[in-house]
């Protein structure tokens, strides 16, 4: 930790153990990013990301990296919501997620919500690289402000590549200082919880679900590749999770 904030990286590496299961030769957390292996089922290894400190705070630069090898199966969750807070150090906080899944590997990335508290400024970048027949379930949920609170500034970018080709590359900025219209009818329409779910399956290359609405403020969209994207808005985190869980159940 410095006067400019905390610098920390957590690293996970999952490999097939040769006995039908998954081992974790690398499970290394730093500072506020603690990693714990929890009991899984069958060939899947499960890891929980535990926040050992408040944050990210202003000036913090945090990163989580995960690599899944051929034949390995990894599920990553978090013990609680992540809350972006102003902190004492000036400047924005940065949170980077870097995921790599090899051909034949499978990753389920299912953290709890990210809450943008009033006065905070956070940039989140998530980059996923998939090879060949890799499988992925990735969920992002963002809540703008705590109860009765205006949100902080939140910028979020998600990039997913398959064999070097972009499946998805999108960015959204919300809160004070964001480009005008972010809360208007064409973007959030006054909602304070937004989320997305991307599911990559080799079988979607030939047999992808058809595009359709899911309820009033959610939609399922097949992408140009073996992937499906679900985007959703909701008035609160609980209702957002219900919509995404329903979509995930249909897709998997």
């Amino acid at each position: 930790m410095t006067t400019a904030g905390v610098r920390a990286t957590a690293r996970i590496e999952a490999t097939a153990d040769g006995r039908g299961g998954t081992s974790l030769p690398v499970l290394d957390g730093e500072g506020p990013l603690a990693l714990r292996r929890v009991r899984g089922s069958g060939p899947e290894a499960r890891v929980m990301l535990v926040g050992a400190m408040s944050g990210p705070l202003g000036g913090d630069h945090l990163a989580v990296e995960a690599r899944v090898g051929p034949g390995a199966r990894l599920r990553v969750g978090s013990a609680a919501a992540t809350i972006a807070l102003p902190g004492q150090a000036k400047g924005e906080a940065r949170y980077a997620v870097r995921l790599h899944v090899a051909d034949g590997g499978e990753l389920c990335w299912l953290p709890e919500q990210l809450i943008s508290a009033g006065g905070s400024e956070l940039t989140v970048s998530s980059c996923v690289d998939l090879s060949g027949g890799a499988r992925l379930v990735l969920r992002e949920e963002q809540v703008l402000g705590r109860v009765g609170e205006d949100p902080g500034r939140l910028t979020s970018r998600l990039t997913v590549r398959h064999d070097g080709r972009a499946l998805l590359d999108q960015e959204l900025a919300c809160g004070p200082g964001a480009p005008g219209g972010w809360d208007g009818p064409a973007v959030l329409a006054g909602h304070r919880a937004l989320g997305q779910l991307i599911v990559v399956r080799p079988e979607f290359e030939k047999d992808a679900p058809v595009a359709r609405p899911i309820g009033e403020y959610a939609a399922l969209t097949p992408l140009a590749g073996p992937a499906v994207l679900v985007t959703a808005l909701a008035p609160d985190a609980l209702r957002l999770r219900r919509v995404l869980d329903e979509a995930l159940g249909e897709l998997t």
Side-chain angles (χ1 to χ4, degrees):
M1 181 173 180
T2 70
T3 56
V6 174
R7 305 291 189 270
T9 300
R11 296 178 176 87
I12 308 167
E13 184 176 334
T15 60
D17 65 6
R19 302 186 302 274
T22 300
S23 62
L24 299 173
V26 177
L27 192 63
D28 182 25
E30 293 180 342
L33 302 173
L35 298 171
R36 300 287 184 268
R37 180 165 189 169
V38 296
R39 181 172 296 180
S41 58
E44 181 182 76
R46 295 193 177 191
V47 173
M48 193 70 66
L49 181 62
V50 180
M53 299 166 57
S54 297
L57 307 177
D60 288 355
H61 287 189
L62 308 180
V64 182
E65 301 176 354
R67 289 183 173 273
V68 181
R73 296 181 60 184
L74 175 66
R75 177 182 292 259
V76 179
S78 58
T82 298
I83 305 178
L85 298 166
Q88 296 181 347
K90 294 183 179 180
E92 70 174 2
R94 293 182 175 271
Y95 198 113
V97 176
R98 297 184 285 267
L99 310 175
H100 303 262
V101 187
D103 185 14
E106 180 170 349
L107 173 63
C108 291
W109 189 264
L110 300 169
E112 295 301 310
Q113 299 89 357
L114 168 64
I115 301 173
S116 175
S120 65
E121 186 176 353
L122 176 65
T123 294
V124 180
S125 61
S126 301
C127 185
V128 186
D129 282 292
L130 307 171
S131 297
R135 293 174 175 263
L136 173 73
V137 174
L138 182 146
R139 182 184 67 210
E140 284 191 340
E141 297 171 307
Q142 296 157 352
V143 180
L144 304 181
R146 292 167 292 191
V147 176
E149 176 185 63
D150 290 333
R153 168 71 181 271
L154 176 63
T155 302
S156 176
R157 182 173 183 178
L158 172 61
T159 305
V160 182
R161 292 187 291 261
H162 181 256
D163 281 340
R165 181 169 58 91
L167 291 178
L168 179 68
D169 191 349
Q170 66 179 28
E171 181 173 298
L172 178 66
C174 305
W182 65 269
D183 203 21
V187 187
L188 298 187
H191 292 85
R192 286 294 177 265
L194 58 150
Q196 54 194 353
L197 176 74
I198 182 166
V199 179
V200 180
R201 292 283 186 270
E203 55 266 30
F204 287 166
E205 194 78 67
K206 296 182 179 179
D207 187 22
V210 297
R212 65 181 187 275
I214 302 175
E216 189 174 3
Y217 296 107
L220 182 151
T221 306
L223 301 178
V228 172
L229 173 68
V230 177
T231 54
L233 299 174
D236 56 54
L238 179 60
R239 278 176 276 193
L240 176 67
R241 176 65 61 84
R242 287 174 180 167
V243 172
L244 295 180
D245 278 352
E246 178 183 344
L248 180 58
E250 292 181 11
L251 292 171
T252 58

